[in-house]
Amino acid sequence: MRKLASKTVGLAAALGFVLAPALARADEFVNVLTGGTSGVYYPIGVGISKILTDKMPGARPSVQATKASVENLNLIQSGKGEIGFVLGDAVQAAIAGDTEMGFKGKLDKIRTIAAIYPNYVQIVASADSGIKSLADLKGKRLSVGAPKSGTELNARAILNAAGLQYSDLGKVEYLDFGQSVELIKNRQLDATLQSAGLGVASIRDLANSVPITVVEVPASVIQKVGAPFVSATIPAKTYQGQDADVQTAAIINYLVTRSDLSEDTVYQMTKAIFDNLNDLYAAHAAAKVIKVETGAKNPIAPLHPGAAKYFKEKGAL
């Protein structure tokens, strides 16, 4: 009897050992690809990472600061990220395989998780530069964002529509938001073009340090650029010393993933993020316009099946 009992216990222990890994959810590594630490992608990415840690069982998220849209798309395509922040026009260029924009070929693994919030093209000059319009940028020193970033793609599009080439400028710098602001403070640059959510930390820092002018992007220029750009307004008092509304261009940001990530994983990520939007709103003011109702609208890359499942459940697809 003892032998039988011993064998029974031993068999149960063996079965338990075999079944335990199947019952436990495997660690799910989620690399969140953002942008420079002084932009808006980064703090919202940190917010997403915290939500996934707290609300997605088994998730092991990390946040990677990058050069933003183009780099994020290339990293997603090569399997080096699970969530990427990207601008809509960069997604268009990626799908088309636009080599001039930084893609070696058509990126066929890009899938949409959700539309999130608009980026505003924010052209800010030091008041003493004398720049008050797009035309005044001619011969001036301008930072257009990191090379091949979403901001730099936006800069090319807006300047071209305004009849300006980089060669018309006095000097072009390819710097991230924080570096651009430091050079303006030191009088080594006249202006910076930053494509970001409203209230971006870098421009707040600049406006609190020196008098600024927020330069208008007129409706005529936006119409010439065309989709996916739309007209938008930077409300008065968004930045210190900005006393009036300023018209500019806006473009939607997306969260993207890759096609070979499982439906369940993407469903769980999407559910964690959109079921806990109040936590995300606390990460940055720009996130406050992110809604379940608009998450699945107008995807440029196809919706991932896992994201589609979530939005269908919510009646938002």
Side-chain angles (χ1 to χ4, degrees):
M1 183 66 71
R2 280 185 184 175
K3 286 185 177 180
L4 180 59
S6 177
K7 286 182 179 179
T8 302
V9 172
L11 179 61
L15 283 171
F17 178 77
V18 171
L19 291 174
L23 294 173
R25 187 181 180 91
D27 285 344
E28 196 74 61
F29 293 95
V30 181
N31 191 21
V32 183
L33 306 169
T34 59
T37 55
S38 56
V40 175
Y41 284 174
Y42 189 81
I44 296 180
V46 171
I48 287 176
S49 175
K50 187 177 187 306
I51 289 171
L52 296 179
T53 299
D54 295 342
K55 306 295 184 180
M56 183 177 166
R60 293 186 61 183
S62 58
V63 179
Q64 182 176 342
T66 69
K67 294 178 182 176
S69 297
V70 174
E71 183 178 5
N72 292 349
L73 287 159
N74 283 321
L75 288 170
I76 291 283
Q77 175 74 16
S78 61
K80 296 177 181 177
E82 285 66 49
I83 297 176
F85 285 75
V86 296
L87 274 168
D89 59 340
V91 180
Q92 283 184 330
I95 293 172
D98 191 329
T99 55
E100 187 179 343
M101 298 301 182
F103 303 105
K104 293 180 179 179
K106 294 182 179 180
L107 304 195
D108 58 357
K109 294 182 180 179
I110 306 301
R111 296 292 182 270
T112 300
I113 296 175
I116 43 175
Y117 66 91
N119 258 23
Y120 292 74
V121 176
Q122 301 171 73
I123 304 173
V124 181
S126 62
D128 61 9
S129 70
I131 298 170
K132 295 182 179 179
S133 69
L134 288 175
D136 293 335
L137 289 170
K138 190 171 184 178
K140 300 294 186 178
R141 302 166 297 177
L142 174 69
S143 175
V144 294
K148 306 295 185 182
S149 63
T151 287
E152 203 249 316
L153 300 188
N154 287 183
R156 294 190 199 195
I158 295 298
L159 292 176
N160 286 345
L164 291 169
Q165 304 296 321
Y166 283 175
S167 58
D168 295 320
L169 304 176
K171 185 178 184 181
V172 178
E173 293 282 7
Y174 299 87
L175 302 172
D176 67 25
F177 294 175
Q179 291 173 312
S180 302
V181 163
E182 288 306 312
L183 288 189
I184 293 175
K185 288 183 192 176
N186 295 332
R187 298 178 180 271
Q188 295 173 277
L189 270 181
D190 299 305
T192 175
L193 185 151
Q194 303 191 4
S195 182
L198 292 178
V200 62
S202 52
I203 298 178
R204 287 205 316 268
D205 176 32
L206 178 63
N208 291 335
S209 302
V210 299
I212 63 164
T213 300
V214 182
V215 179
E216 179 187 44
V217 179
S220 57
V221 170
I222 299 164
Q223 288 169 1
K224 190 171 181 180
V225 178
F229 289 91
V230 297
S231 290
T233 300
I234 303 173
K237 307 298 182 183
T238 298
Y239 301 106
Q240 176 72 30
Q242 181 209 338
D243 297 326
D245 291 352
V246 177
Q247 184 175 28
T248 191
I251 186 169
I252 294 295
N253 285 292
Y254 293 85
L255 293 178
V256 298
T257 188
R258 58 182 197 273
S259 58
D260 60 354
L261 210 57
S262 76
E263 180 176 328
D264 181 62
T265 294
V266 177
Y267 171 81
Q268 294 296 338
M269 293 192 311
T270 309
K271 179 177 175 60
I273 294 167
F274 280 85
D275 280 0
N276 296 280
L277 286 176
N278 284 336
D279 293 338
L280 197 59
Y281 298 162
H284 195 283
K288 292 180 180 178
V289 300
I290 302 175
K291 307 290 181 186
V292 173
E293 295 77 12
T294 55
K297 286 191 174 182
N298 304 317
I300 295 173
L303 271 178
H304 190 286
K309 178 183 176 182
Y310 173 80
F311 288 115
K312 187 175 181 180
E313 286 180 357
K314 293 294 184 179
L317 186 59

